[in-house]
């Protein structure tokens, strides 16, 4: 069943929301010992929400577009009354006092919140290996990373822990794990979705994004969370599109841009996946356009300088006094030694590395050479994409250079890991919407994906083209590796 089918069956009274929730909880129970994707499960809360939906349906009361649909939430987003750790020991034991704006919207739409999913610490990573609770495994290959930083959310959707999830995407963290786990992931236009109640990583880049098994399911989730929010000063009030209707529009006449420089450096199967998708869109009546992004190779260095600089400022609040883990107080302590020990104990190595580099890039004498220059490169990347999007309606490319890589492959080489974000970071730097759509399995039985990028607030175009791409595929379901593990075969 898809998310939309589940919502329809519950609304029609042919499926009880409690049964749907119990099935999702049972799946978590059997599968998560293998995946480690959940950091908190709120079984009692989820059952109570589902029962309330069943009562509303029975009483003929109006219900929302997600009524009774069980979903999971990345543990970077506040769900009132539930733990909020950001994947870090720094926030161990912290319970969110209120819902993030996106969570309030989900609740108003009737969604059932199953619990919180694992992530790279403070959303810093591409593999979900920096999570304080340990790595998450990819349901399609348990020795593979699920992608990050929203790896728990992607694995949860692929494994059938409910029908969708919310992740966050600062430089690819919704799209990369979506690609690796064979699900759909959308990074909305900057400002389209509220960031209020979301733990900040790099505020000029962060966006909450929906993940689900199909493009239409993703459209349903997005319709609920998109829109202006008085509690987020960067939120925008452009009109919301009809995202589900966009999935039904033909692609004939649309101009699809292919970035030739993005085709070098791909694994042969990802290269094939992009070209086959391009040919299929042209066969469906779209027209092709060759696109150049002359500064695309600078997106990763500019992104990491800006993201680390903003992170160093955003994470300064976790000092053990105002927020976060406090080290045991020694009689010889000064305020500075207490700060230093609290932060050394609370933050893991990747977060510490980024705070140090970001602080350095912002410091007097280095600011002009690094942070300021990165901001100017950001403008060049933005202008390249705007020029490209005046010659086409949507840019087609890869999400990642290869299928999911083995756990531990880049642990000792952070620069190599950062390079994996080469195709995703440009959309964040430019504030543009982008979607990862699965396109079948590769040679090793691991999911492959393509990425679509459109103009500001043109998410409708992404749904239109994404649905056309998806239509050609058999739907991926039931990851065999996970099934074998559950059956005791591994
Ligand atoms: N991999 C990128 C990083 O580590 C992106 C993370 C994200 O989008 N949150 O910064």
């Amino acid at each position: 069943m898809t998310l939309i089918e589940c919502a329809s069956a519950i609304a029609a009274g042919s499926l009880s929301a409690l049964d749907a929730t119990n099935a999702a909880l049972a799946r978590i129970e059997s599968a998560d010992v293998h995946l480690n994707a959940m950091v908190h499960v709120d079984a009692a809360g989820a059952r109570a929400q589902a029962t309330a939906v069943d009562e509303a349906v029975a009483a003929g009361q109006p219900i929302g577009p997600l009524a009774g649909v069980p979903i999971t939430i990345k543990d970077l987003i506040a769900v009132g009354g539930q733990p909020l750790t950001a994947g870090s020991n720094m926030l161990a034991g912290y319970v969110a006092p209120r819902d993030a704006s996106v969570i309030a919207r989900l609740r108003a739409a009737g969604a059932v919140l199953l619990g919180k999913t694992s992530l790279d610490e403070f959303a810093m990573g591409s593999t979900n290996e920096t999570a304080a609770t340990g790595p998450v495994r990819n349901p399609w290959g348990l020795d593979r990373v699920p992608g990050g930083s929203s790896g728990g959310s992607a694995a949860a959707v692929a494994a059938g822990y409910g029908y969708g999830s919310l992740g966050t995407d600062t430089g690819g963290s919704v799209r990369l794990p979506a690609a690796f786990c064979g699900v759909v992931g959308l990074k909305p236009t900057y400002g389209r979705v509220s960031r209020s109640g979301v733990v900040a990583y790099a505020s000029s880049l962060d966006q909450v994004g929906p993940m689900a098994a199909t493009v239409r399911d993703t459209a349903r989730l997005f319709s609920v969370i998109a829109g202006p929010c008085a509690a987020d000063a960067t939120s925008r009030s452009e009109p919301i599109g009809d995202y589900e209707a966009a999935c039904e529009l033909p692609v004939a006449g649309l101009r699809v841009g292919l970035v030739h420089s993005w085709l070098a450096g791909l694994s042969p199967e990802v290269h094939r996946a992009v070209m086959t998708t391009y040919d299929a869109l042209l066969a469906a009546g779209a027209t092709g356009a060759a696109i150049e992004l002359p500064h695309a190779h600078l997106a990763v260095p500019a992104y990491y300088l800006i993201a680390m600089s903003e992170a160093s400022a955003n994470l300064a609040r976790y000092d053990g006094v105002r927020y976060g883990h406090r080290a045991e107080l020694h009689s010889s302590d000064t305020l500075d030694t207490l700060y230093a020990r609290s932060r050394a104990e609370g933050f893991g190595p990747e977060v510490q590395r980024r705070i140090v580099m970001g602080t350095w890039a912002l410091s007097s004498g280095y600011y002009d050479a690094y942070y300021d220059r990165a901001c100017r490169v950001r403008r060049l990347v933005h202008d390249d994409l705007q020029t490209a999007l005046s010659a086409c309606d949507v840019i087609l490319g890869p999400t990642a250079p290869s299928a999911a890589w083995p756990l531990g492959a880049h642990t000792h080489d952070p620069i190599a890991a950062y390079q994996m974000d080469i195709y995703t970071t440009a959309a964040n730097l430019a504030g543009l919407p982008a979607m990862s759509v699965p396109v079948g399995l590769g040679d090793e039985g691991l999911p492959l994906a393509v990425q679509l990028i459109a103009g500001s607030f043109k998410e409708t175009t992404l749904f239109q083209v994404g649905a056309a791409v998806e239509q050609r595929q058999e739907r991926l379901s039931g990851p065999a590796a996970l099934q074998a593990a559950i059956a005791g075969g591994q």
Side-chain angles (χ1 to χ4, degrees):
M1 218 187 249
T2 66
L3 179 152
I4 289 180
E5 287 164 357
C6 172
S8 304
I10 289 170
S14 57
L15 172 67
S16 109
L18 186 58
D19 286 350
T21 293
N22 280 332
L25 291 169
R27 181 72 174 163
I28 293 172
E29 181 81 15
S30 62
D32 214 45
V33 289
H34 304 289
L35 298 182
N36 193 32
M38 301 298 296
V39 294
H40 176 71
V41 179
D42 181 24
R47 289 195 180 103
Q49 294 164 53
T51 302
V53 169
D54 285 335
E55 286 168 4
V57 171
Q61 290 164 0
I63 54 166
L66 293 173
V69 177
I71 61 172
T72 58
I73 305 292
K74 181 179 188 176
D75 196 21
L76 197 69
I77 303 174
V79 175
Q82 291 191 26
L84 175 58
T85 68
S88 179
N89 287 328
M90 183 53 96
L91 285 173
Y94 177 69
V95 174
R98 64 171 182 90
D99 283 339
S101 295
V102 286
I103 300 300
R105 284 171 179 257
L106 288 176
R107 285 196 203 274
V112 170
L113 307 177
L114 294 169
K116 311 297 290 288
T117 57
S118 177
L119 66 153
D120 280 301
E121 186 176 359
F122 282 99
M124 298 177 187
S126 306
T127 62
N128 218 121
E129 289 169 294
T130 70
T133 45
V136 173
R137 292 170 184 275
N138 188 316
W140 293 92
L142 300 187
D143 59 339
R144 303 291 168 136
V145 300
S149 64
S150 315
S153 286
V157 174
Y161 301 1
Y163 295 90
S165 193
L166 293 190
T168 63
D169 192 313
T170 304
S173 277
V174 163
R175 289 160 288 158
L176 188 70
F180 281 6
C181 292
V183 304
V184 179
L186 172 72
K187 194 240 25 120
T189 306
Y190 186 75
R192 177 77 298 177
V193 176
S194 173
R195 291 183 295 114
S196 174
V198 181
V199 174
Y201 165 12
S203 307
S204 76
L205 301 157
D206 298 340
Q207 271 294 282
V208 173
M211 306 165 95
T214 73
V215 173
R216 285 173 180 77
D217 290 352
T218 309
R220 173 72 59 97
L221 280 173
F222 185 54
S223 309
V224 169
I225 62 168
C229 170
D232 175 358
T234 58
S235 139
R236 299 274 299 256
S237 56
E238 274 76 359
I240 306 295
D242 187 340
Y243 306 114
E244 284 186 61
C247 297
E248 312 306 327
L249 298 175
V251 292
L254 278 185
R255 297 163 304 165
V256 179
L258 192 63
V259 186
H260 279 281
S261 57
W262 273 2
L263 296 173
L266 298 180
S267 75
E269 58 183 7
V270 173
H271 187 279
R272 219 165 33 238
V274 173
M275 292 315 298
T276 312
T277 306
Y278 184 63
D279 292 344
L281 289 171
L282 298 199
T287 54
I291 295 301
E292 296 304 328
L293 298 176
H295 304 94
H297 62 290
L298 299 176
V300 165
Y303 164 79
Y304 273 94
L305 272 165
I306 291 168
M308 290 179 186
S309 300
E310 292 186 18
S312 74
N314 275 329
L315 272 59
R317 72 191 71 178
Y318 305 104
D319 57 14
V321 176
R322 290 174 300 167
Y323 293 97
H325 167 81
R326 181 181 299 182
E328 205 181 309
L329 195 57
H330 300 161
S331 56
S332 59
D333 268 335
T334 63
L335 188 58
D336 280 343
T337 57
L338 180 66
Y339 284 158
R341 246 189 13 269
S342 298
R343 286 165 70 81
E345 288 174 11
F347 290 133
E350 181 62 26
V351 173
Q352 292 190 29
R353 175 186 294 127
R354 292 187 186 206
I355 291 172
V356 169
M357 302 226 330
T359 306
W360 180 71
L362 288 177
S363 59
S364 166
Y366 294 103
Y367 180 95
D368 292 345
Y370 294 101
Y371 180 72
D372 190 54
R373 186 177 286 190
C375 290
R376 282 186 277 137
V377 171
R378 177 180 195 167
R379 170 53 63 176
L380 296 175
V381 171
H382 168 274
D383 292 351
D384 280 0
L385 280 163
Q386 293 298 351
T387 306
L389 286 164
S390 60
C392 67
D393 299 298
V394 68
I395 296 171
L396 169 71
T399 307
S402 68
W405 52 83
L407 285 157
H410 297 304
T411 311
H412 303 295
D413 189 355
I415 302 285
Y418 299 166
Q419 281 301 335
M420 297 300 162
D421 299 330
I422 179 159
Y423 306 115
T424 50
T425 46
N428 300 80
L429 290 172
L432 297 175
M435 180 187 281
S436 181
V437 186
V439 289
L441 299 179
D443 304 333
E444 295 179 278
L446 297 168
L448 303 175
V450 297
Q451 180 182 208
L452 305 169
I453 305 175
S456 277
F457 300 99
K458 296 271 178 57
E459 281 87 353
T460 42
T461 308
L462 297 179
F463 284 110
Q464 180 181 3
V465 179
V469 170
E470 179 178 77
Q471 205 178 11
R472 304 182 45 252
Q473 319 293 327
E474 264 193 49
R475 204 181 135 204
L476 297 177
S477 61
L482 176 61
Q483 286 310 114
I486 292 173
Q490 195 164 326

